[in-house]
Amino acid sequence: MGTQWSRSESDSSLLLVPEVGTGWQREDDDDSLDGLDRQEDIARFPYVEFTGRDSITCPTCQGTGHIPSEQVNELVALVPYNDQRLQPQRTKLYVVLSAVLCLLASSLVVFFLFPRSVVVEDDGIRSVTVQFDHVNAKVLINMTSSLNFTNSNFFTVMVDSLSCQVLYMKTVIGTMQLDNVITIQPLSQRQVNFTVSVQISGSTSYVYAFCTMASIKVHNIVVIMQTSVKTSYMMRTAQNTLEAYRYIDCGSNSTVHQPPRRLWQ
């Protein structure tokens, strides 16, 4: 009822020989082990490095099955050249797709943030008010003009200042200055009305006689309006100027709208 160990003379290896009259018996309980029990048994089996006649112990782990923690930053893993990890798939497709996406994003940024010029349209004169100073022989005129602003940008535009100067025969007869005029929203239009007070006297006092002459029905005079507009947007400042001729009836008040004569940017 036991196992006998014997050593043959021709071989130095040990032989496991069962006793006579006895055989290998497997209990029925061994057949009842399922796959899970076998996996648990294998997991509890310690690491053993088997070395043969033509093999040597791993110099890195010294047969322990793990790398020392102090050598983690010193060791380099060698991967075969034909390893699948060194041959990524669809590399060209990813590179082309990334380049196309970058170009598309850049184009959108340029399209939405590229500054465009603010279009200013002269809408002419809205009304003219004429008064006379008979004592000093002066002609006092208030001219109300209009400007239309068109913002084609995708951001807000500020109209910082609007100035106007009126000349008659190269003589300045009126000025006007407005600051912080309006704010124009993206892709929108705004209109600005401004009034310039004009006084004709002194060296041009003959205009008073012309404007008050009863024998003339229409007392038209020509004045020059020089208008300047300063706008700012996206850390950029722009200035637009216009010089236009105005025909004014200095003999009476007028509220007839005179259409624009020039488009400027």
Side-chain angles (χ1 to χ4, degrees):
M1 296 302 294
T3 303
Q4 296 180 355
W5 298 87
S6 63
R7 181 187 300 272
S8 62
E9 297 179 356
S10 60
D11 193 355
S12 60
S13 62
L14 295 177
L15 300 177
L16 186 62
V17 181
E19 293 182 355
V20 179
T22 63
W24 294 98
Q25 297 180 358
R26 298 183 61 183
E27 298 180 357
D28 296 338
D29 295 339
D30 295 339
D31 297 335
S32 64
L33 294 176
D34 55 6
L36 180 61
D37 295 335
R38 294 180 184 274
Q39 294 178 1
E40 293 178 354
D41 293 340
I42 294 174
R44 288 193 295 269
F45 187 78
Y47 172 83
V48 178
E49 184 172 353
F50 297 95
T51 59
R53 181 180 302 175
D54 299 330
S55 62
I56 60 175
T57 302
C58 174
T60 302
C61 59
Q62 299 297 327
T64 60
H66 63 274
I67 299 174
S69 59
E70 61 271 9
Q71 298 183 2
V72 172
N73 297 327
E74 301 176 1
L75 301 177
V76 178
L78 301 179
V79 181
Y81 178 78
N82 59 354
D83 192 285
Q84 187 66 23
R85 291 172 294 178
L86 299 180
Q87 300 176 1
Q89 302 295 325
R90 301 179 180 177
T91 303
K92 294 182 179 179
L93 177 61
Y94 295 149
V95 171
V96 173
L97 183 59
S98 300
V100 171
L101 292 178
C102 291
L103 291 176
L104 179 60
S106 302
S107 301
L108 292 176
V109 170
V110 171
F111 177 78
F112 286 104
L113 298 183
F114 183 79
R116 300 170 177 82
S117 300
V118 178
V119 179
V120 184
E121 182 181 6
D122 181 13
D123 200 24
I125 296 178
R126 291 292 176 177
S127 63
V128 176
T129 303
V130 181
Q131 295 179 350
F132 299 103
D133 184 352
H134 298 286
V135 176
N136 299 313
K138 295 181 181 179
V139 179
L140 306 177
I141 302 176
N142 291 328
M143 297 187 303
T144 301
S145 301
S146 297
L147 293 177
N148 293 329
F149 294 84
T150 302
N151 181 15
S152 301
N153 297 283
F154 290 87
F155 43 82
T156 303
V157 173
M158 298 289 297
V159 180
D160 298 327
S161 64
L162 190 155
S163 60
C164 182
Q165 181 177 263
V166 181
L167 297 89
Y168 177 77
M169 301 295 292
K170 299 183 180 181
T171 302
V172 178
I173 59 176
T175 59
M176 184 275 307
Q177 174 75 33
L178 294 177
D179 296 324
N180 299 325
V181 185
I182 56 171
T183 299
I184 309 175
Q185 298 300 321
L187 303 177
S188 63
Q189 295 181 348
R190 291 288 301 275
Q191 185 179 75
V192 175
N193 297 326
F194 60 95
T195 301
V196 183
S197 297
V198 174
Q199 178 178 308
I200 304 176
S201 61
S203 61
T204 57
S205 58
Y206 61 89
V207 178
Y208 170 80
F210 172 75
C211 296
T212 56
M213 189 175 299
S215 60
I216 302 176
K217 294 183 179 180
V218 180
H219 307 80
N220 283 340
I221 61 174
V222 180
V223 297
I224 301 175
M225 292 188 65
Q226 297 175 345
T227 309
S228 177
V229 178
K230 291 183 179 180
T231 57
S232 61
Y233 47 93
M234 292 293 291
M235 305 301 293
R236 176 186 178 186
T237 303
Q239 181 173 353
N240 303 327
T241 58
L242 170 69
E243 183 176 287
Y245 293 89
R246 306 295 190 193
Y247 292 87
I248 302 174
D249 185 358
C250 64
S252 62
N253 297 334
S254 174
T255 57
V256 178
H257 176 224
Q258 297 183 15
R261 298 178 182 272
R262 186 177 303 176
L263 180 68
W264 57 290
Q265 297 183 2

